[in-house]
Amino acid sequence: MTTIITKTIAKICLMVDMLYSLDLLLIGGNRPGGGFIGGVLCACGIALIYVAYGYEDVKKIWNPDWHSWFGYGLLFASITAISPLLAGHNYFRSAFELSPLIVGGFHLGELELVSSMFFDLGVYFVVIGGLLFIVTQVGTDKGKDPEGGK
Amino acid sequence: MDPFNAIVIAVFLPFILAWTLPVLYSVFKQRIGWIAAGIAFTCFMLNVQVIPYAMAGTPVQGSWVWLPTAGLSFDIYGDGLAVLLALIVSGVGVIIMSYSNGYMSTKEDLPRYYQWLLLFMGAMLGIAYTDNTIQMFIFWELTSITSFMLIGYWRERPESVYGATKALLITAGGGLFMFLGFLMLRVVTGTYGISEVAHSQELLSILHGSEFYVAVLVLVFLGAASKSAQGPFYVWLPNAMEAPTPVSAFLHSATMVKAGVYLVARMHPILSGTPEWLILVSGTGMITMVMAGFMAFRQTDIKAILAYSTISQLAYLMTMYGYSTAEHPGLGFAAATFHLLNHSTFKATLFLVAGIVAHEATTRDIRKLGGLRKEMPKTFIVAVIAAASMAGVPPLNGFLSKEMFYETSLEIGHLVGGPWVYIFPVVAVAGGVFTLMYSIRLIDGIFLGERTHDPDVPHHVHEAPWVMLAPAVFLVGLIIFFGVYPKFPIETLIQPAYSGLVPHADHLHVKLWHGITTPLLMTIATFAIGIVLYKFYDTLAAMQNSFNAKLPWVSVNYWYDATVNNAKGICKKFANITQPGPLGGYIKIVQLFMIFLVVWPLYYLGVGAANILPEGMNFASQPYEIVLYALIIVSALGAAIIPRYLPAVLSLSAVGFLVSLLYMYLKAPDLAMTQVCVETLSTIIFILVIIKLPQKFKEPMPAGKVLVNLLISGTVAFSVFAIMVNAGVGILAPFESFSHYFMEYSLQLTGGLNVVNVIVVDFRGYDTIGEISVLSLAALGVYNLILSRSGSAAEEGEEE
């Protein structure tokens, strides 16, 4: 699998993939997308890199703790869910606001600020972390290799 | 300070500050023991603030609404009895935490130790002041848990683990019965409040007339008896002595085991006054009192003797609280409450002495000790006074409350009449005789006689350091003070507790000298019989030993061990049946259940095979759709037939990708996108796993098995099909769809246009947070599966 062609394509794909994943996350409220699908897409792109370059090689350059990603994601989502309580609202109450987006004096349109976005961000991280944690764990498992492993 | 605030702070301060100890430890090191003692002292002073209110007969009341939907609030009720228990808990807490500074080695994990002690103290204070059964249950189980952690403090010792588990199973289990009783009480009276029921004649008569009365009484008493080690539940207390000695002194003699007695005292206005009450509470108490006192003889460990003594002394309290009858409500209450206070003083002292002896002489075996009076004169004096108080020697406080015990036993005998006129006092004297005998044994075995030259005991035993001696001396001071000047504890603590719970309580007069009365004669008889019988102490102990060796099944421990040890075996057998291992079986069961779920309702509704397909179905398809269907069928067949793993898996993935293409045609782009991504990832993971297996199916399946599998999967496929085609039409009239609600309100309420996403992150956010938790758990589960397999590979190999 790790031909030069795969590697090159995987690298290009990753960039597009990441951008698209972020786009999906952000537009989720109004168009097809959202935290879950964005997260799965991002995980796909990174998994592709792992497959193309090999886990060991990728690890040398970039080795995030995927388990802390989903841990923090879960924490973040829970905090988002609880935080309305502090303002005296119900659990999971959401809010949104449209604010004009002005850059350098030009009115570019409306910027929609939605509080459930933060919850979606938590979902996004849980999905990325959870899936890639499974991929890396299964991929690096050496339990019954003939070489023995650990 | 406002007394309500004082109580709330006293209850929660230990809980909050306990968590700061690990941080403080990095600064203060082993001196955090004094900080913990300081916290306990603060709680003590806060409790003192409540005394005037209790004495004035105006209990401190207040509540915080906590869970309004369930009708729950945090209710405080600070009357005399509550203050008494709170003062014992926080006062003994100060003493124990100071003493621990000398007892615990600085190498131990001190933050953990003091942390759990403080948490326990907070939970006990919670029990004392609670006015709500649910709150009582919560704090009750908290004490069980903290006790578990403290008994098992030395985790590496198997005996500690055994003792801790036993204590937890019995006390927490009893607590669950109590909880059931509380729920029944709520059903009958309609409230969780304790004082509310106690003060309402109407509710009381409803309860006593109710058919649930006996059930409530028995269940609540089960909780109390298991906590206070009464009846057959006594077995956990001797094993709990594996805890560090200060813990035993604090939890398992002075405070936690008093919780059960306290519960009986607290509930007595509600439940007492019936024959059932007398039989259950006093009956259990009397049997336990005599049996535990007698069984103390065969113990050789000082702490074990003290444990049995504690069981017996708690049984005194139980018996006395049980005396409360309809003719004479509150009989025995004052005596029991006074003895509760006194027992805490002398028993805590004796435990502190046991700790000192174990610390200095390195053993607690009474056969190896002896003759220590010369080397430890101060400890000797302290121990003699405490033991004398326990045995009921005047002019110490134990004498006073024991006199009151004899007196009330005579009275209850007269109230009940018949042969009971004699039985109650005789049993009381028997309890007193046994108490006297093991009290003598303790002093005799440790301090009197000649030094044994056992290799376990050092040649020169030192006197205890002041850190350990001072708390014991302080308690002995209280023993003498309460004995000589009983007016002080009676007026500040006992009378308020008595008047607070017993209507029309009389004024208590406790004096050392009453003249020659029947109780005094009973005391003299106790001493005479006890001293005579003491000659046969060893014979009696030997008799018990040989009896126990012949009939092991008489012991409650035998049954406990049999049950708990067998539980492991039974669980394993059960797991072997329910979790056999091979995945094929699990899948088959899931599929069969699914068939059942579809077929049974169809049969129930009387739907014939002809009606399963709804009328007017449109099978017309575009040519490209037909191509797609054909491809899906081919790849699904491939997944089933191909005899190699890798191509089979790829074929299965092809089904997924083709289905996502179908979604595109059917104009569901988000579904298609999700399907593609998920399919990609699952294929990667599948391949990562499959690549490690041999690439050929090992065993060709026998034809019969293939047929059965085919039948099952065919039926499943048909069931799913039947559901799908009927989903939109419905064999039954379809439920009203509520999707229009989301359509209407999604923009208005959440500002989102994508209804699917809005449902996921907003309307149904609860579901989503559950789902991402499951995803996280699944990831951890995968990790654990892999880790456990590679870790125990050698072990598995052996089993295979």
Side-chain angles (χ1 to χ4, degrees), chain A residues 12-32:
Chain A
I12 297 165
C13 275
L14 181 68
M15 287 184 256
V16 180
D17 187 278
M18 287 292 192
L19 280 176
Y20 189 36
S21 146
L22 281 175
D23 180 51
L24 282 178
L25 168 71
L26 293 175
I27 64 167
N30 294 327
R31 274 173 287 148

PDB file of all heavy atoms in Angstrom, chain A residues 12-32:
ATOM      1  N   ILE A  12      -2.115  14.993  -0.125  1.00  0.00           N
ATOM      2  CA  ILE A  12      -2.994  16.016  -0.702  1.00  0.00           C
ATOM      3  C   ILE A  12      -4.399  15.871  -0.142  1.00  0.00           C
ATOM      4  O   ILE A  12      -5.048  16.843   0.241  1.00  0.00           O
ATOM      5  CB  ILE A  12      -3.009  15.903  -2.233  1.00  0.00           C
ATOM      6  CG1 ILE A  12      -1.602  16.183  -2.777  1.00  0.00           C
ATOM      7  CG2 ILE A  12      -4.014  16.873  -2.843  1.00  0.00           C
ATOM      8  CD1 ILE A  12      -1.403  15.753  -4.198  1.00  0.00           C
ATOM      9  N   CYS A  13      -4.832  14.618  -0.103  1.00  0.00           N
ATOM     10  CA  CYS A  13      -6.178  14.361   0.406  1.00  0.00           C
ATOM     11  C   CYS A  13      -6.357  14.921   1.808  1.00  0.00           C
ATOM     12  O   CYS A  13      -7.400  15.471   2.148  1.00  0.00           O
ATOM     13  CB  CYS A  13      -6.455  12.860   0.447  1.00  0.00           C
ATOM     14  SG  CYS A  13      -7.049  12.223  -1.097  1.00  0.00           S
ATOM     15  N   LEU A  14      -5.334  14.755   2.615  1.00  0.00           N
ATOM     16  CA  LEU A  14      -5.461  15.157   4.012  1.00  0.00           C
ATOM     17  C   LEU A  14      -5.851  16.622   4.121  1.00  0.00           C
ATOM     18  O   LEU A  14      -6.728  17.001   4.897  1.00  0.00           O
ATOM     19  CB  LEU A  14      -4.160  14.888   4.757  1.00  0.00           C
ATOM     20  CG  LEU A  14      -4.217  15.267   6.237  1.00  0.00           C
ATOM     21  CD1 LEU A  14      -5.153  14.344   6.976  1.00  0.00           C
ATOM     22  CD2 LEU A  14      -2.846  15.246   6.869  1.00  0.00           C
ATOM     23  N   MET A  15      -5.168  17.466   3.308  1.00  0.00           N
ATOM     24  CA  MET A  15      -5.442  18.908   3.387  1.00  0.00           C
ATOM     25  C   MET A  15      -6.884  19.196   3.024  1.00  0.00           C
ATOM     26  O   MET A  15      -7.602  19.878   3.758  1.00  0.00           O
ATOM     27  CB  MET A  15      -4.512  19.650   2.438  1.00  0.00           C
ATOM     28  CG  MET A  15      -3.092  19.685   2.935  1.00  0.00           C
ATOM     29  SD  MET A  15      -2.097  20.658   1.829  1.00  0.00           S
ATOM     30  CE  MET A  15      -1.220  19.395   0.953  1.00  0.00           C
ATOM     31  N   VAL A  16      -7.316  18.659   1.877  1.00  0.00           N
ATOM     32  CA  VAL A  16      -8.687  18.879   1.432  1.00  0.00           C
ATOM     33  C   VAL A  16      -9.660  18.352   2.487  1.00  0.00           C
ATOM     34  O   VAL A  16     -10.630  19.005   2.879  1.00  0.00           O
ATOM     35  CB  VAL A  16      -8.921  18.162   0.081  1.00  0.00           C
ATOM     36  CG1 VAL A  16     -10.343  18.382  -0.371  1.00  0.00           C
ATOM     37  CG2 VAL A  16      -7.917  18.648  -0.938  1.00  0.00           C
ATOM     38  N   ASP A  17      -9.317  17.172   2.929  1.00  0.00           N
ATOM     39  CA  ASP A  17     -10.150  16.466   3.880  1.00  0.00           C
ATOM     40  C   ASP A  17     -10.352  17.277   5.160  1.00  0.00           C
ATOM     41  O   ASP A  17     -11.462  17.425   5.661  1.00  0.00           O
ATOM     42  CB  ASP A  17      -9.436  15.152   4.168  1.00  0.00           C
ATOM     43  CG  ASP A  17     -10.254  14.237   5.008  1.00  0.00           C
ATOM     44  OD1 ASP A  17     -10.248  14.410   6.241  1.00  0.00           O
ATOM     45  OD2 ASP A  17     -10.895  13.361   4.422  1.00  0.00           O
ATOM     46  N   MET A  18      -9.235  17.826   5.667  1.00  0.00           N
ATOM     47  CA  MET A  18      -9.303  18.609   6.896  1.00  0.00           C
ATOM     48  C   MET A  18     -10.188  19.837   6.717  1.00  0.00           C
ATOM     49  O   MET A  18     -11.034  20.140   7.555  1.00  0.00           O
ATOM     50  CB  MET A  18      -7.905  19.076   7.304  1.00  0.00           C
ATOM     51  CG  MET A  18      -7.039  17.983   7.840  1.00  0.00           C
ATOM     52  SD  MET A  18      -7.701  17.434   9.402  1.00  0.00           S
ATOM     53  CE  MET A  18      -6.352  16.464   9.975  1.00  0.00           C
ATOM     54  N   LEU A  19      -9.955  20.523   5.620  1.00  0.00           N
ATOM     55  CA  LEU A  19     -10.741  21.727   5.366  1.00  0.00           C
ATOM     56  C   LEU A  19     -12.219  21.380   5.262  1.00  0.00           C
ATOM     57  O   LEU A  19     -13.077  22.027   5.856  1.00  0.00           O
ATOM     58  CB  LEU A  19     -10.287  22.390   4.060  1.00  0.00           C
ATOM     59  CG  LEU A  19      -9.030  23.235   4.182  1.00  0.00           C
ATOM     60  CD1 LEU A  19      -8.633  23.757   2.818  1.00  0.00           C
ATOM     61  CD2 LEU A  19      -9.288  24.382   5.138  1.00  0.00           C
ATOM     62  N   TYR A  20     -12.493  20.300   4.537  1.00  0.00           N
ATOM     63  CA  TYR A  20     -13.872  19.906   4.340  1.00  0.00           C
ATOM     64  C   TYR A  20     -14.493  19.492   5.669  1.00  0.00           C
ATOM     65  O   TYR A  20     -15.648  19.811   5.967  1.00  0.00           O
ATOM     66  CB  TYR A  20     -13.933  18.762   3.322  1.00  0.00           C
ATOM     67  CG  TYR A  20     -15.324  18.421   2.878  1.00  0.00           C
ATOM     68  CD1 TYR A  20     -16.273  19.425   2.722  1.00  0.00           C
ATOM     69  CD2 TYR A  20     -15.695  17.108   2.607  1.00  0.00           C
ATOM     70  CE1 TYR A  20     -17.551  19.120   2.320  1.00  0.00           C
ATOM     71  CE2 TYR A  20     -16.974  16.799   2.212  1.00  0.00           C
ATOM     72  CZ  TYR A  20     -17.906  17.806   2.066  1.00  0.00           C
ATOM     73  OH  TYR A  20     -19.181  17.508   1.673  1.00  0.00           O
ATOM     74  N   SER A  21     -13.683  18.819   6.464  1.00  0.00           N
ATOM     75  CA  SER A  21     -14.181  18.376   7.765  1.00  0.00           C
ATOM     76  C   SER A  21     -14.551  19.575   8.640  1.00  0.00           C
ATOM     77  O   SER A  21     -15.620  19.607   9.261  1.00  0.00           O
ATOM     78  CB  SER A  21     -13.109  17.508   8.423  1.00  0.00           C
ATOM     79  OG  SER A  21     -13.112  17.668   9.802  1.00  0.00           O
ATOM     80  N   LEU A  22     -13.678  20.587   8.643  1.00  0.00           N
ATOM     81  CA  LEU A  22     -13.980  21.783   9.434  1.00  0.00           C
ATOM     82  C   LEU A  22     -15.210  22.488   8.883  1.00  0.00           C
ATOM     83  O   LEU A  22     -16.067  22.963   9.631  1.00  0.00           O
ATOM     84  CB  LEU A  22     -12.790  22.740   9.403  1.00  0.00           C
ATOM     85  CG  LEU A  22     -11.650  22.365  10.346  1.00  0.00           C
ATOM     86  CD1 LEU A  22     -10.477  23.310  10.153  1.00  0.00           C
ATOM     87  CD2 LEU A  22     -12.141  22.413  11.791  1.00  0.00           C
ATOM     88  N   ASP A  23     -15.290  22.501   7.548  1.00  0.00           N
ATOM     89  CA  ASP A  23     -16.450  23.133   6.913  1.00  0.00           C
ATOM     90  C   ASP A  23     -17.734  22.439   7.340  1.00  0.00           C
ATOM     91  O   ASP A  23     -18.700  23.074   7.739  1.00  0.00           O
ATOM     92  CB  ASP A  23     -16.278  23.049   5.395  1.00  0.00           C
ATOM     93  CG  ASP A  23     -17.445  23.691   4.681  1.00  0.00           C
ATOM     94  OD1 ASP A  23     -17.764  24.842   5.020  1.00  0.00           O
ATOM     95  OD2 ASP A  23     -18.048  23.029   3.815  1.00  0.00           O
ATOM     96  N   LEU A  24     -17.684  21.100   7.311  1.00  0.00           N
ATOM     97  CA  LEU A  24     -18.870  20.330   7.700  1.00  0.00           C
ATOM     98  C   LEU A  24     -19.259  20.649   9.133  1.00  0.00           C
ATOM     99  O   LEU A  24     -20.429  20.792   9.467  1.00  0.00           O
ATOM    100  CB  LEU A  24     -18.593  18.837   7.571  1.00  0.00           C
ATOM    101  CG  LEU A  24     -18.642  18.246   6.176  1.00  0.00           C
ATOM    102  CD1 LEU A  24     -18.295  16.777   6.224  1.00  0.00           C
ATOM    103  CD2 LEU A  24     -20.023  18.433   5.576  1.00  0.00           C
ATOM    104  N   LEU A  25     -18.226  20.750   9.987  1.00  0.00           N
ATOM    105  CA  LEU A  25     -18.510  21.041  11.381  1.00  0.00           C
ATOM    106  C   LEU A  25     -19.211  22.386  11.519  1.00  0.00           C
ATOM    107  O   LEU A  25     -20.193  22.521  12.242  1.00  0.00           O
ATOM    108  CB  LEU A  25     -17.191  21.036  12.171  1.00  0.00           C
ATOM    109  CG  LEU A  25     -17.255  21.591  13.583  1.00  0.00           C
ATOM    110  CD1 LEU A  25     -18.017  20.639  14.478  1.00  0.00           C
ATOM    111  CD2 LEU A  25     -15.862  21.821  14.137  1.00  0.00           C
ATOM    112  N   LEU A  26     -18.701  23.383  10.787  1.00  0.00           N
ATOM    113  CA  LEU A  26     -19.209  24.739  10.982  1.00  0.00           C
ATOM    114  C   LEU A  26     -20.566  24.964  10.338  1.00  0.00           C
ATOM    115  O   LEU A  26     -21.402  25.668  10.891  1.00  0.00           O
ATOM    116  CB  LEU A  26     -18.198  25.744  10.428  1.00  0.00           C
ATOM    117  CG  LEU A  26     -16.880  25.777  11.212  1.00  0.00           C
ATOM    118  CD1 LEU A  26     -15.880  26.698  10.537  1.00  0.00           C
ATOM    119  CD2 LEU A  26     -17.126  26.228  12.635  1.00  0.00           C
ATOM    120  N   ILE A  27     -20.794  24.373   9.165  1.00  0.00           N
ATOM    121  CA  ILE A  27     -22.070  24.638   8.505  1.00  0.00           C
ATOM    122  C   ILE A  27     -23.173  23.738   9.016  1.00  0.00           C
ATOM    123  O   ILE A  27     -24.322  23.862   8.617  1.00  0.00           O
ATOM    124  CB  ILE A  27     -21.976  24.445   6.973  1.00  0.00           C
ATOM    125  CG1 ILE A  27     -21.663  22.984   6.656  1.00  0.00           C
ATOM    126  CG2 ILE A  27     -20.950  25.383   6.385  1.00  0.00           C
ATOM    127  CD1 ILE A  27     -21.852  22.647   5.212  1.00  0.00           C
ATOM    128  N   GLY A  28     -22.800  22.817   9.911  1.00  0.00           N
ATOM    129  CA  GLY A  28     -23.744  21.800  10.374  1.00  0.00           C
ATOM    130  C   GLY A  28     -25.119  22.317  10.695  1.00  0.00           C
ATOM    131  O   GLY A  28     -26.112  21.655  10.420  1.00  0.00           O
ATOM    132  N   GLY A  29     -25.194  23.522  11.259  1.00  0.00           N
ATOM    133  CA  GLY A  29     -26.494  24.020  11.690  1.00  0.00           C
ATOM    134  C   GLY A  29     -27.472  24.222  10.549  1.00  0.00           C
ATOM    135  O   GLY A  29     -28.668  24.027  10.709  1.00  0.00           O
ATOM    136  N   ASN A  30     -26.956  24.606   9.403  1.00  0.00           N
ATOM    137  CA  ASN A  30     -27.857  25.009   8.337  1.00  0.00           C
ATOM    138  C   ASN A  30     -27.844  24.113   7.121  1.00  0.00           C
ATOM    139  O   ASN A  30     -28.803  24.086   6.363  1.00  0.00           O
ATOM    140  CB  ASN A  30     -27.536  26.429   7.903  1.00  0.00           C
ATOM    141  CG  ASN A  30     -27.846  27.404   9.012  1.00  0.00           C
ATOM    142  OD1 ASN A  30     -28.779  27.181   9.776  1.00  0.00           O
ATOM    143  ND2 ASN A  30     -27.058  28.448   9.133  1.00  0.00           N
ATOM    144  N   ARG A  31     -26.747  23.402   6.883  1.00  0.00           N
ATOM    145  CA  ARG A  31     -26.681  22.555   5.710  1.00  0.00           C
ATOM    146  C   ARG A  31     -26.167  21.196   6.132  1.00  0.00           C
ATOM    147  O   ARG A  31     -25.712  21.025   7.264  1.00  0.00           O
ATOM    148  CB  ARG A  31     -25.770  23.191   4.658  1.00  0.00           C
ATOM    149  CG  ARG A  31     -26.517  24.176   3.769  1.00  0.00           C
ATOM    150  CD  ARG A  31     -25.559  24.911   2.868  1.00  0.00           C
ATOM    151  NE  ARG A  31     -24.769  25.881   3.594  1.00  0.00           N
ATOM    152  CZ  ARG A  31     -23.514  26.213   3.271  1.00  0.00           C
ATOM    153  NH1 ARG A  31     -22.920  25.635   2.265  1.00  0.00           N
ATOM    154  NH2 ARG A  31     -22.875  27.124   3.967  1.00  0.00           N
ATOM    155  N   PRO A  32     -26.252  20.205   5.248  1.00  0.00           N
ATOM    156  CA  PRO A  32     -25.795  18.862   5.648  1.00  0.00           C
ATOM    157  C   PRO A  32     -24.393  18.895   6.219  1.00  0.00           C
ATOM    158  O   PRO A  32     -23.484  19.485   5.639  1.00  0.00           O
ATOM    159  CB  PRO A  32     -25.838  18.075   4.327  1.00  0.00           C
ATOM    160  CG  PRO A  32     -26.891  18.746   3.535  1.00  0.00           C
ATOM    161  CD  PRO A  32     -26.838  20.199   3.907  1.00  0.00           C
TER     162      PRO A  32
END
